[in-house]
Amino acid sequence: MSLLDHTLEELHTMLVNKETTAEKIMTAVYARISETEDQVGSFITLTEEEALVKAREMDEAGIDPENILAGLPIGIKDNIVTEGTLTTAASRMLEDFVPIYDATVTEKVKESGMISVGKLNMDEFAMGGSTENSYFKLTRNPWNLDKVPGGSSGGSAAAVAAGQVPVSLGTDTGGSIREPAAFTGVVGMKPTYGRVSRFGLIAFGSSLDQIGPFTRNVKDNAIVLNAISGHDPKDAMSHTEEVPDFTEGITDGVKGMKIGVPKEYMQEGGLQDGVKEAVLEAIETYKKLGAIVETVSLPHSKYGIPAYYIISSSEASSNLQRFDGVRYGYRAKDVESLEELYVKTRTEGFGPEVKRRIMLGTFSLSSGFYDAHFKQASKARTLIRRDFENVFEEYDLILGPTTTTTAYGIGEQIDDPIAMYLSDILTVPVNLAGVPAISIPCGFSDGMPVGLQLIGKHFDEKTIYQAAYAFEQATEFHKARPNL
């Protein structure tokens, strides 16, 4: 068995008992990356030298028996700021940006004792659903190298699925953790908005963005969320809600738990037969485990996609104004005026998907169109949030497919932005409402993983983990590995 096949708890026990060392684990990580990176393309930047030095230092100091994450490897999505390490957001605009500070979540990773392996590939500025929009490289799905890994956190998901790292961090603005988790057969959690600090995250949609972990099993995911959660005064939207131990009660099962299945999620016209079958079988598993599963309605979910793309693009057009060639980042050459510097820098520095969303957002916020577009989208958002609140008055969780299809082919949707946007139809309502949701493996369709989405009440990630763990223990899907 490879070192990387163990759970985080098993690795911790091995470290404490001196059956292995942090340096050996780190060496195994880089060996696996070396074997598979040419095929998968998960990483933009590797920090091997620094990681091995840190691992040796931890071995010499001794692993803290009370700190379950000490000495363990993690990959970090490349829109999360890391002091002294290239942070590009997969854009030409930031191709040489080396931050002078850490994001709060990066600080928490360091405080937990985890060691960063490197920065993971993504869609440029997190805009995309396939990780085909990176300026640097293409990331492939480890289950089928001709298919996308999902996006925008495709590098983060693919690295975990390929066994390159046991843990990675991604970001989720409209499904960018859950969709790639579903496409690559791993566990991906989008926490409640405000649960994890966004300070030091290169912003896309500030009212929607949230950082969360990818792992190969549910308990590992809960352990990592414990480490990165908490109030941060540097993030104005960071919540003061006390952070519980997400692993406490994780084995309590789902007997008597009430789970709602939105009829809108199961009736989507584009729901692939294999995906629907896997989710229906998952529902039966929950019933056998003692859960009460009933059909519910989220009637305003149909407005999720238009509302999301107006709101997120509007926020993106505002957030990306800072990239103008003046202060930092890419700067166009051979310009003769300030206006030409702005235009040429942004023309050359941004990719087509980023430009598309800036244009959409600027239009939606412009004089004469604000009321018709952004204001209406905000009203739709309120209705979507109320739908969730109404269901959660009677139910503990909401269950459904994470995506309407399994991973599609590379190049299949890249020239059809509307099709790409519609692939988020089951994930964006969660971000608009700010509630937490997880994607866990629940089966296969034509050899590709299918994801099951569990949605919870605000700040109730514990119940989500409890239900996810119960399903995982009753099935074998999380044990499947791609043949690389």
Side-chain angles (χ1 to χ4, degrees):
M1 181 188 261
S2 161
L3 274 174
L4 303 180
D5 286 327
H6 292 282
T7 67
L8 299 183
E9 285 180 312
E10 289 169 347
L11 288 171
H12 174 66
T13 301
M14 291 166 72
L15 284 168
V16 170
N17 294 340
K18 301 194 184 304
E19 295 167 31
T20 189
T21 65
E23 185 179 0
K24 283 181 181 175
I25 293 173
M26 205 57 62
T27 301
V29 162
Y30 284 110
R32 179 62 178 168
I33 292 171
S34 180
E35 287 170 10
T36 56
E37 183 62 10
D38 285 347
Q39 295 169 278
V40 180
S42 303
F43 286 88
I44 291 176
T45 303
L46 290 168
T47 52
E48 184 169 2
E49 190 176 329
E50 302 96 303
L52 288 169
V53 167
K54 183 67 178 171
R56 288 187 203 109
E57 288 174 355
M58 296 195 78
D59 287 331
E60 287 168 12
I63 299 296
D64 180 2
E66 302 300 315
N67 188 353
I68 196 167
L69 295 174
L72 300 183
I74 186 170
I76 298 176
K77 187 175 177 180
D78 207 28
N79 59 345
I80 298 171
V81 165
T82 45
E83 182 183 2
T85 301
L86 188 68
T87 301
T88 69
S91 178
R92 186 183 190 188
M93 190 64 84
L94 291 173
E95 62 183 338
D96 58 0
F97 174 55
V98 179
I100 58 172
Y101 69 98
D102 275 326
T104 296
V105 77
T106 311
E107 289 178 354
K108 285 180 173 287
V109 163
K110 289 179 177 178
E111 287 166 10
S112 76
M114 296 197 88
I115 301 171
S116 174
V117 171
K119 305 301 290 292
L120 291 152
N121 196 30
M122 55 183 282
D123 283 305
E124 183 182 6
F125 285 105
M127 298 180 193
S130 63
T131 315
E132 294 173 281
N133 293 317
S134 170
Y135 172 69
F136 297 97
K137 69 200 308 185
L138 178 71
T139 300
R140 297 176 181 272
N141 193 314
W143 287 93
N144 183 332
L145 298 173
D146 293 326
K147 293 186 181 289
V148 301
S152 63
S153 307
S156 301
V160 173
Q164 295 177 331
V165 286
V167 180
S168 67
L169 294 183
T171 64
D172 193 312
T173 308
S176 290
I177 288 174
R178 289 158 291 147
E179 188 214 55
F183 280 3
T184 60
V186 298
V187 178
M189 166 64 91
K190 186 216 85 84
T192 307
Y193 181 77
R195 172 70 85 187
V196 179
S197 172
R198 294 174 299 112
F199 177 78
L201 169 64
I202 297 171
F204 163 17
S206 301
S207 73
L208 301 158
D209 296 337
Q210 189 62 125
I211 299 168
F214 289 92
T215 54
R216 285 197 292 267
N217 66 72
V218 172
K219 193 169 185 184
D220 282 359
N221 204 280
I223 290 168
V224 177
L225 189 60
N226 279 342
I228 64 172
S229 296
H231 175 64
D232 178 16
K234 290 180 282 190
D235 176 1
M237 300 308 294
S238 176
H239 210 277
T240 54
E241 187 87 12
E242 186 180 344
V243 181
D245 178 356
F246 297 116
T247 64
E248 188 182 332
I250 200 168
T251 61
D252 288 353
V254 294
K255 192 169 184 181
M257 193 179 284
K258 290 191 72 178
I259 300 175
V261 180
K263 61 183 181 182
E264 293 84 3
Y265 285 21
M266 300 303 289
Q267 291 171 356
E268 281 301 334
L271 197 59
Q272 215 171 60
D273 289 344
V275 171
K276 190 170 188 176
E277 277 175 36
V279 173
L280 289 173
E281 286 176 19
I283 290 170
E284 291 306 310
T285 299
Y286 273 110
K287 287 179 179 177
K288 288 173 187 171
L289 292 170
I292 301 160
V293 185
E294 297 173 344
T295 300
V296 297
S297 180
L298 296 172
H300 297 99
S301 290
K302 61 187 176 183
Y303 303 119
I305 290 290
Y308 168 79
Y309 278 97
I310 287 171
I311 292 168
S312 65
S313 297
S314 297
E315 292 181 2
S317 75
S318 177
N319 281 322
L320 269 59
Q321 285 182 35
R322 70 195 72 177
F323 302 109
D324 54 11
V326 175
R327 287 173 283 272
Y328 63 98
Y330 177 80
R331 177 180 291 187
K333 296 179 173 57
D334 302 321
V335 295
E336 295 180 1
S337 67
L338 186 61
E339 183 179 352
E340 189 182 358
L341 172 67
Y342 291 156
V343 173
K344 204 170 177 185
T345 293
R346 291 166 72 80
T347 299
E348 295 171 4
F350 290 137
E353 182 59 32
V354 174
K355 291 173 187 171
R356 184 181 292 121
R357 298 200 194 194
I358 289 173
M359 293 296 289
L360 173 60
T362 304
F363 174 79
S364 299
L365 293 173
S366 61
S367 176
F369 295 99
Y370 176 87
D371 286 349
H373 298 293
F374 188 82
K375 196 171 179 180
Q376 290 299 100
S378 298
K379 289 178 180 177
R381 181 182 195 166
T382 300
L383 294 174
I384 289 166
R385 187 172 68 246
R386 284 178 185 163
D387 283 350
F388 280 104
E389 289 168 356
N390 291 338
V391 171
F392 285 135
E393 284 179 7
E394 292 185 45
Y395 293 87
D396 300 299
L397 288 175
I398 293 169
L399 175 156
T402 307
T403 55
T404 56
T405 68
T406 54
Y408 47 86
I410 289 169
E412 208 171 283
Q413 292 189 10
I414 194 68
D415 295 323
D416 187 351
I418 300 300
M420 186 83 76
Y421 297 170
L422 286 171
S423 65
D424 295 335
I425 196 164
L426 301 176
T427 55
V428 296
V430 167
N431 298 79
L432 291 167
V435 292
I438 200 169
S439 179
I440 58 174
C442 74
F444 291 86
S445 177
D446 295 326
M448 296 304 292
V450 176
L452 180 72
Q453 182 173 214
L454 296 172
I455 306 167
K457 302 171 187 174
H458 285 101
F459 299 102
D460 192 20
E461 289 88 353
K462 273 187 78 171
T463 300
I464 294 176
Y465 280 128
Q466 186 179 327
Y469 184 82
F471 179 82
E472 184 179 84
Q473 295 305 298
T475 58
E476 300 285 316
F477 303 121
H478 65 291
K479 295 180 179 178
R481 300 284 182 267
N483 184 24
L484 275 174

